[in-house]
Amino acid sequence: MTDLSPSEDIGGALIARLAARVAEARKLRGLSRRVLSEMSGVSPRYLAQLEAGEGNISVLLLQRVASALDLQIEALLAEGMPMDHEAERITTLFRQAPPQVQQQVCGLLAPQNPKVMRAGRICLIGLRGAGKSTLGRMAGEALGIPFVELNHDIEADTDMPLAEVMAFYGEDGYRKLEAEALERASAKHDKMILAVAGGIVAQPDTYARLLERFHTVWIKTSPAEHMQRVRGQGDLRPMEGNPAAMAHLKTLLESRIPLYQKAEAQVNTTNRAVRSSANDLLAVIAKHRFLDGAK
């Protein structure tokens, strides 16, 4: 007796799974093979072969069968348990709903199993100069997942540098663009590391959605290092016209600490080399299993 090759084993398992799911879906809907044949345009004989695991059906014909059963074709082929009929209906309704309705649904479901909602998506929060961009980029490269800076996404979407965005749209307009960019990022990526502006935590609705959809890590450092790093980036705005800049920075950080503490984890970069801080971030991601369960 000749052993099957791995590809033949996989193919046989796929055909058997497909046969069982087509038969089960047809019976759940109370359809005879003849009725399913009329609905799908696939002959009863071909359907009988398909349900017996003897048919090598084409993708186009399988799509007809799936549509007649009111299923996505993926539900017939997926390795895991397929969604039942009601779950398929809910999925279709969700896809067709406007973004605000989708947000409401996600808000209702997230508390039931928040880890599933956040799985694979990591967001770095904290004041500017803490190291979010540098560490996020390094961690993304190490883990092989995308790194996104939300402000860069806003610049790409508006086709303006951030300074012009702020001047043209004002603070309120920028916050609206920020919320929209967050929606785009969470919709586009199942796995990612995101870096956001320090003030996003002061926007209750946007921050609530961020905490709902992302595992969060507070990247923190001392006020002195915040100031030094911002200066090192060539941005003197925190010092312009503000002789008490350090006092202002300390007050701002103090006021936001309760908000930043909502993060699931922290990485302190004070007096740490960049590579050491990047390793700290990777260790936090592994310890908390932030990538577990992601697609």
Side-chain angles (χ1 to χ4, degrees):
M1 180 176 178
T2 305
D3 291 337
L4 293 176
S5 69
S7 62
E8 289 173 324
D9 279 342
I10 293 170
L14 176 61
I15 290 172
R17 184 164 65 243
L18 178 59
R21 287 184 180 168
V22 170
E24 180 184 10
R26 179 178 62 78
K27 291 171 184 175
L28 281 173
R29 287 154 181 75
L31 302 176
S32 66
R33 282 204 194 104
R34 184 161 299 280
V35 171
L36 180 58
S37 170
E38 292 171 357
M39 294 171 65
S40 65
V42 177
S43 72
R45 183 169 178 272
Y46 208 160
L47 289 173
Q49 289 179 324
L50 178 61
E51 291 185 10
E54 299 170 358
N56 189 11
I57 193 167
S58 73
V59 173
L60 291 177
L61 290 182
L62 183 58
Q63 179 61 63
R64 288 190 199 172
V65 172
S67 296
L69 292 170
D70 195 22
L71 289 171
Q72 297 290 324
I73 193 171
E74 306 96 284
L76 297 176
L77 297 172
E79 286 189 28
M81 289 296 292
M83 291 187 289
D84 62 22
H85 193 50
E86 281 305 305
E88 284 284 343
R89 285 178 181 272
I90 292 168
T91 300
T92 300
L93 288 171
F94 183 84
R95 287 172 175 164
Q96 295 173 351
Q100 60 269 28
V101 174
Q102 292 181 350
Q103 290 173 21
Q104 291 171 357
V105 171
C106 290
L108 290 170
L109 293 176
Q112 306 305 313
N113 195 342
K115 288 186 178 180
V116 171
M117 189 73 170
R118 301 168 189 157
R121 292 196 291 258
I122 300 161
C123 182
L124 309 183
I125 63 174
L127 284 182
R128 187 176 179 191
K132 296 175 301 211
S133 298
T134 300
L135 300 185
R137 188 174 295 106
M138 293 173 72
E141 289 175 358
L143 296 169
I145 60 178
F147 168 67
V148 176
E149 288 194 70
L150 204 63
N151 276 343
H152 289 179
D153 183 87
I154 293 171
E155 289 179 327
D157 186 62
T158 58
D159 197 25
M160 293 181 187
L162 193 61
E164 289 184 20
V165 171
M166 297 297 293
F168 186 80
Y169 289 95
E171 181 72 17
D172 290 343
Y174 166 77
R175 293 304 174 189
K176 183 175 183 295
L177 293 170
E178 186 178 53
E180 292 171 354
L182 183 67
E183 294 298 326
R184 286 195 300 273
S186 57
K188 183 176 181 181
H189 298 286
D190 288 320
K191 283 186 179 183
M192 70 180 303
I193 295 180
L194 180 71
V196 296
I200 199 170
V201 298
Q203 308 305 311
D205 291 344
T206 305
Y207 192 32
R209 285 197 292 277
L210 190 157
L211 292 171
E212 191 178 88
R213 300 181 186 187
F214 290 82
H215 291 295
T216 44
V217 182
W218 177 16
I219 308 298
K220 57 189 292 190
T221 192
S222 66
E225 288 205 34
H226 273 296
M227 192 70 77
Q228 180 183 357
R229 291 170 186 173
V230 171
R231 273 185 178 147
Q233 294 168 7
D235 187 353
L236 301 180
R237 286 177 299 168
M239 278 64 76
E240 285 181 349
N242 185 4
M246 182 60 74
H248 174 73
L249 178 60
K250 288 179 178 178
T251 300
L252 179 62
L253 180 57
E254 190 72 22
S255 69
R256 287 183 180 167
I257 283 177
L259 298 170
Y260 290 141
Q261 285 178 333
K262 292 182 179 181
E264 296 167 76
Q266 301 178 13
V267 170
N268 194 330
T269 65
T270 306
N271 297 324
R272 297 280 287 168
V274 173
R275 175 53 62 185
S276 296
S277 292
N279 289 337
D280 291 343
L281 176 57
L282 290 170
V284 161
I285 291 170
K287 175 184 175 181
H288 291 274
R289 304 175 67 177
F290 286 158
L291 295 180
D292 285 11
K295 294 178 184 179

